[in-house]
Amino acid sequence: MAWLRKLVGAVIVLGGAAGAAGWVLSAPVRLDDGTVAQLGPGDAAKGKRIFYAGGCTSCHAKPGAQGDARLELVGGLELKTPFGTFVPPNISQDQKDGIGAWSEEDFANAMLKGVSPSGEHFYPAFPYASYARMKPADIADLYAFMKTLPAVAGKAPDHKLSFPFTIRRGIGLWKRLYLSPEPVIALPDGAPGKVLAGRYLVEGPGHCGECHTPRDFAGGVNKGEWLAGAVAAEGSGIVPNITPDGKSIKSWSEADIANYLETGFTPEFDSVGGAMVEVQRNTAQLTADDRAAIAAYLKAVPPHPNGYPARKPAS
């Protein structure tokens, strides 16, 4: 039975080596010194634009909040997904329950690397896989603006997850597959500045692909079907295809798209509905140039057929 003992020993050694490698590969990675040096002091006035481009109120305002209360970022919205229920936290300036005690570097690590001040991975329900494409200077501006918002006491409820999704360490391996600062769409040399600006807003702070792109079995965005539409993370609905082949905006001009982002009205005189209501509230706060840039980019992305299954005919 000596061979069996050797086999068992080899399995134990290999298992230990694999476990050690997994532990190293899954470790949280913080920003390098060069990126931290690019943060700067931040400009709150500029940060307000990034705040609305990022749609922070959509998830972090108290559910049902209206008016100025939407700036009280106490969290608590439940996001029910196939992986469990995620609850956006309090990101107000409260020192204990929010992020008021975070340094600018803490904030940048959360936004660009998905790492908490204590060194834990954040779940990618927080769309840092998109925010990773943001400029450090914009992160600094956003931090400066967040500092102007009210402190609100009260912790949001914990996430409701089942094993193995309760093991945050495994997110480090997920990040190796899906976390990248590189643009999703490679635009040709000489692409108009408006399109480049739109790519930055859509792929980075706007994180439009997080909802409008199909995901694979691990929950990562399928970049080969970028913006082709997807089954909604919550419920049984769909998020529409917004590529040039998407029925929802195929016939829209750039001006139509920009107007929709500002007013919430389609060229057919219908009005924004569903989850897009919150998004449009934010895009209405952007500049006209920003909305025009987003529209130009959406007209420039590669067309794709719908990234969700066709609806079954009624029986």
Side-chain angles (χ1 to χ4, degrees):
M1 299 294 286
W3 67 271
L4 182 59
R5 288 195 295 272
K6 289 181 180 179
L7 178 61
V8 171
V11 169
I12 291 173
V13 169
L14 290 173
W23 185 256
V24 171
L25 291 172
S26 64
V29 177
R30 296 178 66 85
L31 294 171
D32 58 66
D33 292 342
T35 303
V36 172
Q38 296 176 48
L39 292 173
D43 182 324
K46 293 180 180 178
K48 182 178 181 179
R49 166 181 172 259
I50 300 300
F51 177 82
Y52 284 108
C56 305
T57 60
S58 297
C59 286
H60 292 281
K62 185 177 180 179
Q66 299 293 328
D68 289 345
R70 287 168 52 77
L71 297 178
E72 298 176 359
L73 304 177
V74 71
L77 178 71
E78 289 194 347
L79 304 172
K80 298 178 181 179
T81 79
F83 300 96
T85 299
F86 295 94
V87 183
N90 183 332
I91 59 166
S92 79
Q93 292 305 300
D94 188 84
Q95 293 279 315
K96 179 182 176 183
D97 297 329
I99 64 171
W102 287 18
S103 68
E104 183 183 65
E105 185 174 342
D106 290 335
F107 184 74
N109 272 292
M111 292 287 292
L112 299 177
K113 291 293 187 180
V115 176
S116 74
S118 63
E120 280 192 316
H121 293 297
F122 284 119
Y123 286 104
F126 169 33
Y128 53 77
S130 290
Y131 296 155
R133 302 184 186 99
M134 292 176 65
K135 301 170 187 174
D138 282 345
I139 298 294
D141 290 342
L142 177 59
Y143 177 79
F145 177 73
M146 297 285 282
K147 283 294 183 184
T148 71
L149 299 181
V152 186
K155 272 198 172 298
D158 291 334
H159 304 309
K160 300 172 186 175
L161 308 174
S162 301
F163 181 84
F165 305 119
T166 51
I167 302 175
R168 287 182 185 252
R169 185 75 181 205
I171 297 170
L173 300 177
W174 186 95
K175 287 180 179 179
R176 288 186 173 271
L177 293 173
Y178 303 109
L179 188 62
S180 170
E182 297 301 316
V184 178
I185 300 299
L187 295 171
D189 292 341
K194 183 165 67 169
V195 176
L196 293 170
R199 179 175 69 177
Y200 177 74
L201 288 168
V202 171
E203 296 186 6
H207 62 279
C208 306
E210 300 287 340
C211 288
H212 285 277
T213 305
R215 294 179 180 271
D216 61 22
F217 73 97
V221 166
N222 183 349
K223 295 178 182 177
E225 296 182 86
W226 183 244
L227 303 182
V231 175
E234 300 181 85
S236 58
I238 59 167
V239 183
N241 181 344
I242 56 172
T243 73
D245 262 7
K247 181 180 178 182
S248 59
I249 65 169
K250 186 174 184 178
S251 63
W252 294 13
S253 67
E254 289 182 24
D256 290 334
I257 296 172
N259 183 68
Y260 174 73
L261 295 175
E262 180 181 10
T263 67
F265 287 100
T266 73
E268 299 79 28
F269 303 102
D270 196 2
S271 58
V272 63
M276 190 63 191
V277 170
E278 285 292 327
V279 177
Q280 189 274 323
R281 282 183 179 180
N282 294 313
T283 57
Q285 300 295 321
L286 300 179
T287 66
D289 285 346
D290 283 341
R291 290 188 291 267
I294 292 170
Y297 170 78
L298 292 179
K299 284 296 186 181
V301 300
H304 291 294
N306 293 340
Y308 45 84
R311 291 186 182 278
K312 294 180 180 179
S315 56

